[in-house]
Amino acid sequence: MIKYTVKRLLQSLVTVLIIVTIVFLLLRMLPTDYYFTEEQLMKFTEEQKQEQLLAAGLLDPIPEQLVRFYGDLVRLDFGESRRIQNGYPVTKVIGSKFQISMKLGIISIGISLVIGVLIGILQTRYKNRIPDHLGTIYTIFVNSVPALVSYSLVLVFGSRVLGLPSMYSTRNPGPSSILPLVCLSMTSIAWYALWTRRYMIDELNKDYIKLARVKGLETKKIMTRHVLRNAFVPIAQYLPQSILSTIGGSLLVERFFSVPGMGPLLTDSINRYDVNVVQTLVILYATLGILGVFLGDVLMMIIDPRITLVGKGGTR
């Protein structure tokens, strides 16, 4: 386990480094005017611009800039924002927004997992009956209707019928978080329900379950000790995708409900060419995604200790 963990951490570090390097090189292909604020572009002469670029090291050869960039990363120096909040450290620009996004994301993943698995269990328990049909309708609806349409329906129903706040408010984060959380959780709930049902039905048709029934083992014990446990192992692999889909969904949900999180910040920093903010957000998103993959593997081993991710040759 320790050997596997060290190996995966090294692989993850290399993966993040490759992603960040590609983004760095792409951003350096932009015109140098994007380094300056709108006010500076109007006031500076061409000579002053060149002096500023030279002082910032942006006229150095790309390999030198890349080495300097790696050194800043090792020191956890992500630079300053140039356009979102001119002169402010990127960590401060992202800090408060990161807290909001991660809080919503973690709660959303927990809600999705609990509700989705429960729906899948109910569908299995009442296969081809009303609960099963309702669960199937929900899954088809979520996967077939465009996200903006389903979010609009949630917004209209939640605000007009239930009286919930339609927009997020930092002064009233509890009630105003309900609708964004619902939208963030919808897709993952459908996925967990679908695959919980599928894997549980598959387990119920296996010989060891039939043998357990012949021996007189209670249905409740069969479902909890064998069927659900074995069915949940492959579902644990969805954890990384759940994290990534939550991150991806937050880009739209946070914009839709005016949540001051990382989603709007990423789109704003891209639109305004704030290079340092974009680079830092890419590092953060890549790290979260790779961490999710690692946690998915670990979760599978915790659920079923018989699973080993390291073979005889030491490979995964």
Side-chain angles (χ1 to χ4, degrees):
M1 179 65 180
I2 296 177
K3 184 177 180 181
Y4 167 77
T5 302
V6 173
K7 181 180 178 181
R8 285 305 303 271
L9 287 176
L10 291 175
Q11 290 176 342
S12 301
L13 181 62
V14 172
T15 304
V16 172
L17 193 61
I18 292 173
I19 294 173
V20 170
T21 301
I22 293 174
V23 173
F24 175 87
L25 294 175
L26 290 174
L27 290 174
R28 288 306 178 275
M29 296 173 65
L30 293 172
T32 54
D33 282 353
Y34 293 123
Y35 173 76
F36 303 100
T37 63
E38 289 83 353
E39 184 180 357
Q40 289 173 334
L41 286 174
M42 295 176 62
K43 290 184 176 181
F44 285 0
T45 64
E46 191 62 34
E47 291 75 15
Q48 289 175 317
K49 291 180 183 178
Q50 293 299 314
E51 290 177 1
Q52 289 283 334
L53 293 173
L54 185 63
L58 295 178
L59 297 181
D60 296 338
I62 293 297
E64 291 185 17
Q65 294 187 45
L66 193 57
V67 171
R68 188 165 56 247
F69 174 64
Y70 290 153
D72 292 338
L73 286 183
V74 172
R75 297 190 300 271
L76 298 180
D77 182 6
F78 300 102
E80 297 180 348
S81 170
R82 298 290 300 176
R83 288 174 175 265
I84 300 297
Q85 287 181 272
N86 186 28
Y88 278 78
V90 172
T91 50
K92 290 186 177 181
V93 175
I94 295 178
S96 59
K97 299 179 182 297
F98 175 79
Q99 294 178 10
I100 295 174
S101 292
M102 285 301 100
K103 185 182 295 183
L104 291 177
I106 291 173
I107 295 174
S108 170
I109 291 171
I111 292 173
S112 303
L113 183 61
V114 173
I115 296 180
V117 170
L118 287 177
I119 292 176
I121 293 173
L122 283 174
Q123 287 186 265
T124 306
R125 178 68 178 82
Y126 299 100
K127 182 183 175 183
N128 295 327
R129 294 163 68 178
I130 293 179
D132 188 21
H133 296 323
L134 292 176
T136 302
I137 291 172
Y138 172 77
T139 301
I140 294 174
F141 172 82
V142 170
N143 289 317
S144 60
V145 176
L148 281 176
V149 175
S150 59
Y151 293 169
S152 298
L153 293 175
V154 170
L155 175 63
V156 172
F157 180 81
S159 60
R160 295 187 179 181
V161 178
L162 302 180
L164 295 171
S166 59
M167 294 295 147
Y168 183 87
S169 172
T170 53
R171 296 181 179 179
N172 192 24
S176 63
S177 297
I178 295 177
L179 296 184
L181 284 173
V182 171
C183 292
L184 276 175
S185 305
M186 288 172 60
T187 303
S188 294
I189 288 175
W191 194 98
Y192 281 122
L194 173 66
W195 289 102
T196 299
R197 177 187 183 277
R198 182 168 298 181
Y199 286 128
M200 288 187 70
I201 290 176
D202 184 55
E203 289 293 321
L204 286 171
N205 291 326
K206 291 184 177 179
D207 292 336
Y208 79 95
I209 296 297
K210 297 177 182 178
L211 180 61
R213 285 173 172 168
V214 171
K215 290 183 176 181
L217 192 65
E218 296 179 5
T219 302
K220 184 178 180 181
K221 292 182 178 180
I222 292 175
M223 295 292 289
T224 55
R225 293 184 181 180
H226 301 287
V227 176
L228 183 59
R229 179 180 178 182
N230 290 334
F232 196 74
V233 172
I235 294 174
Q237 290 181 301
Y238 177 68
L239 178 62
Q241 186 177 344
S242 178
I243 294 174
L244 291 175
S245 64
T246 301
I247 292 173
S250 68
L251 300 179
L252 181 57
V253 171
E254 290 181 0
R255 177 71 70 178
F256 192 82
F257 289 98
S258 299
V259 179
M262 293 192 299
L265 178 62
L266 178 60
T267 55
D268 289 343
S269 60
I270 292 174
N271 291 333
R272 300 177 65 179
Y273 299 97
D274 199 324
V275 174
N276 289 335
V277 177
V278 174
Q279 288 176 166
T280 306
L281 287 174
V282 169
I283 295 172
L284 186 57
Y285 283 137
T287 302
L288 289 174
I290 292 170
L291 179 63
V293 175
F294 175 73
L295 292 177
D297 291 343
V298 174
L299 184 58
M300 281 197 303
M301 291 189 292
I302 293 175
I303 295 172
D304 191 347
R306 295 171 298 176
I307 295 177
T308 176
L309 297 175
V310 181
K312 295 181 180 179
T315 58
R316 184 177 182 270

